[in-house]
Amino acid sequence: MRGSTAGITTTLKGGSSTHYLFLCILDSVFSGVVVAPAVVGYWRSIWALMTIYAYPDDSVKSGVISTAIGVGGHLIFVLLQDFLIKHLHPDKKRIFYYVCSRIYTTCFGFVCVNGWRGPWLLLDYYTNSDLTVLASLAGISIIVLAFLRTLRNVSAPPFALATDHVKNYFAVPTMFKIKMTEKTTLYVLDCIFSVLVVGTLVVFVWRGAWVLLDIFLFPDHESLSAWSSLVIGYVIVALAFMLQPGMRWICDRLTGAVRLLAADLFLIFSLCGTVNLWRGVWMLLNIYFLPDQMELSCWITHWVCLILLILLGCSNSLLVRGVYIDAEEPAGKCVIFPCYYLRLIFQQERAKKIAKHLQLDTMSKRKQDGVENYVATANHITAITQLSITETKNHVV
């Protein structure tokens, strides 16, 4: 989840503008209709299975266990990223890399869900969903995240799609981007701050938005509330994707704090759609998919969603990892959602074709140069031979 377009190449927009627009629309639909529901299904399965297996009658103990798994596991994966990047690469052992990388995603996904579930349950227990506390925590968290320029970390599918490409597969960016090679102590503190502070504030924001919907959106009609949330979510998601070009045009002409404010407001608007979509899919799975066999329902959705995302090459979309900075991209790119899937595939195919054409051109030039050299050498030999014959004839004469 999350993500940034800062590292995305600007050569994605190749060919006609109509073709590129069509791919943008397909990427948005793919992210919203395929990836997002699969990610929600996976998260819902882990969340519910932990509720079934980890002290189902004691929410505090269950919350503490999830928090320990989430925080401890997240720190381990962050601290090990350099080691994994160095020693796991398909150029060394392809099958070994593929197996280990997918095990990494599965384990990290379990850690991420628990990292959210723990604080969420503890807040439910100690605040009892009090409206004042709920709104205050969410509001303060948004302000702090905006002040730290980390509000974009509330993003999730369908507005953030992470592919399983080899590059940066194990990378977990931290808040201050400190490298372990620079200073180990500062690196560890950077990791702790990124996980405990930024990560927890994001959970507070999501919980506040989610519970407010539970309170105000048809609280006495679970099915109607779920369907309403799903419809509202997809409407806002569609609007946000359609507003991207306009927001990019606006941010292209803004600078400094004003541009940052515009980007943050757009992020909050998109968050409303994301939370509604997640809540709708989550509740509808609880209501309609084997509601009397919750354990079986969760295991089926867990494996189906996980395998589907792995086969599609989008399993990293399950993970909540790293800290991304608001408006770190130049100009209006700060409001472009990182949902590149088909566009990356077409870019790779185009790059292969270009490389193939260059290779053929090079071979053709080499052959042509070879023929020219051969002709020149033959002409040179012929001239020398004729000169020798002439000289011989003159000598004989």
Side-chain angles (χ1 to χ4, degrees):
M1 306 206 302
R2 303 173 183 173
S4 168
T5 60
I8 299 294
T9 176
T10 55
T11 59
L12 280 172
K13 193 172 182 178
S16 67
S17 57
T18 304
H19 179 255
Y20 183 76
L21 176 61
F22 181 65
L23 289 179
C24 289
I25 294 172
L26 287 181
D27 274 343
S28 301
V29 173
F30 176 76
S31 183
V33 177
V34 180
V35 177
V39 172
V40 177
Y42 175 87
W43 273 63
R44 172 246 182 195
S45 66
I46 296 294
W47 195 293
L49 287 172
M50 285 299 295
T51 301
I52 294 170
Y53 296 135
Y55 293 99
D57 299 323
D58 193 333
S59 60
V60 176
K61 287 184 180 179
S62 186
V64 170
I65 290 173
S66 283
T67 303
I69 293 172
V71 174
H74 209 124
L75 286 173
I76 289 172
F77 281 115
V78 175
L79 293 170
L80 286 177
Q81 61 177 311
D82 291 334
F83 175 83
L84 294 173
I85 292 170
K86 182 179 179 181
H87 291 90
L88 289 179
H89 198 280
D91 290 343
K92 298 178 180 178
K93 294 180 180 179
R94 182 167 294 275
I95 297 177
F96 181 72
Y97 164 81
Y98 188 86
V99 172
C100 290
S101 61
R102 273 50 186 182
I103 292 174
Y104 164 91
T105 299
T106 304
C107 296
F108 205 165
F110 176 76
V111 166
C112 290
V113 178
N114 276 282
W116 278 51
R117 181 179 177 273
W120 195 300
L121 288 184
L122 294 176
L123 279 173
D124 283 345
Y125 180 81
Y126 288 108
T127 64
N128 198 25
S129 298
D130 181 82
L131 185 58
T132 305
V133 177
L134 191 71
S136 300
L137 272 176
I140 293 171
S141 298
I142 289 174
I143 293 171
V144 174
L145 286 171
F147 178 77
L148 294 172
R149 293 187 60 188
T150 54
L151 188 59
R152 76 174 322 139
N153 295 284
V154 300
S155 295
F159 293 117
L161 191 156
T163 57
D164 298 340
H165 289 159
V166 176
K167 184 180 179 181
N168 298 328
Y169 192 99
F170 303 105
V172 186
T174 53
M175 174 72 184
F176 302 103
K177 307 293 186 292
I178 297 173
K179 303 292 184 182
M180 182 178 283
T181 53
E182 295 175 4
K183 197 165 185 179
T184 305
T185 305
L186 290 178
Y187 173 73
V188 173
L189 291 174
D190 186 16
C191 295
I192 293 173
F193 183 87
S194 301
V195 173
L196 292 180
V197 178
V198 178
T200 304
L201 289 173
V202 171
V203 176
F204 288 174
V205 173
W206 266 73
R207 176 183 174 271
W210 193 297
V211 178
L212 284 173
L213 289 170
D214 289 340
I215 295 172
F216 292 110
L217 189 63
F218 303 111
D220 299 324
H221 300 84
E222 185 180 15
S223 178
L224 181 59
S225 181
W227 282 109
S228 300
S229 198
L230 186 69
V231 171
I232 293 170
Y234 272 118
V235 168
I236 296 176
V237 166
L239 286 173
F241 276 119
M242 288 188 291
L243 287 172
Q244 271 189 115
M247 286 301 302
R248 180 170 186 170
W249 184 87
I250 292 172
C251 290
D252 276 338
R253 286 151 180 79
L254 299 176
T255 57
V258 180
R259 184 175 75 101
L260 183 61
L261 178 61
D264 284 348
L265 290 175
F266 189 54
L267 281 171
I268 293 173
F269 175 72
S270 68
L271 174 66
C272 295
T274 306
V275 175
N276 271 284
L277 193 155
W278 274 61
R279 181 176 178 272
V281 174
W282 194 300
M283 292 179 67
L284 289 173
L285 284 172
N286 287 340
I287 295 168
Y288 295 110
F289 187 62
L290 301 176
D292 299 325
Q293 297 176 285
M294 183 58 68
E295 186 176 358
L296 178 61
S297 172
C298 291
W299 278 116
I300 292 174
T301 53
H302 173 268
W303 288 112
V304 169
C305 293
L306 178 61
I307 292 171
L308 175 64
L309 290 170
I310 289 175
L311 292 176
L312 290 172
C314 301
S315 61
N316 270 333
S317 299
L318 295 169
L319 309 183
V320 178
R321 60 177 182 176
V323 175
Y324 296 90
I325 306 301
D326 298 343
E328 65 178 342
E329 303 88 348
K333 285 192 70 177
C334 62
V335 292
I336 300 300
F337 301 117
C339 299
Y340 297 92
Y341 185 75
L342 293 174
R343 281 171 286 180
L344 287 176
I345 293 175
F346 275 86
Q347 183 201 32
Q348 290 173 352
E349 292 301 318
R350 188 164 60 250
K352 289 179 183 178
K353 288 181 180 179
I354 293 172
K356 187 175 181 180
H357 285 310
L358 289 174
Q359 187 178 7
L360 290 173
D361 289 342
T362 303
M363 291 176 64
S364 177
K365 286 181 179 180
R366 286 179 179 175
K367 287 181 179 179
Q368 187 176 358
D369 292 341
V371 170
E372 290 176 354
N373 291 334
Y374 173 78
V375 172
T377 304
N379 291 337
H380 182 63
I381 293 172
T382 302
I384 293 174
T385 304
Q386 289 177 349
L387 180 62
S388 298
I389 293 171
T390 303
E391 289 179 350
T392 303
K393 287 180 179 179
N394 293 334
H395 180 71
V396 170
V397 173

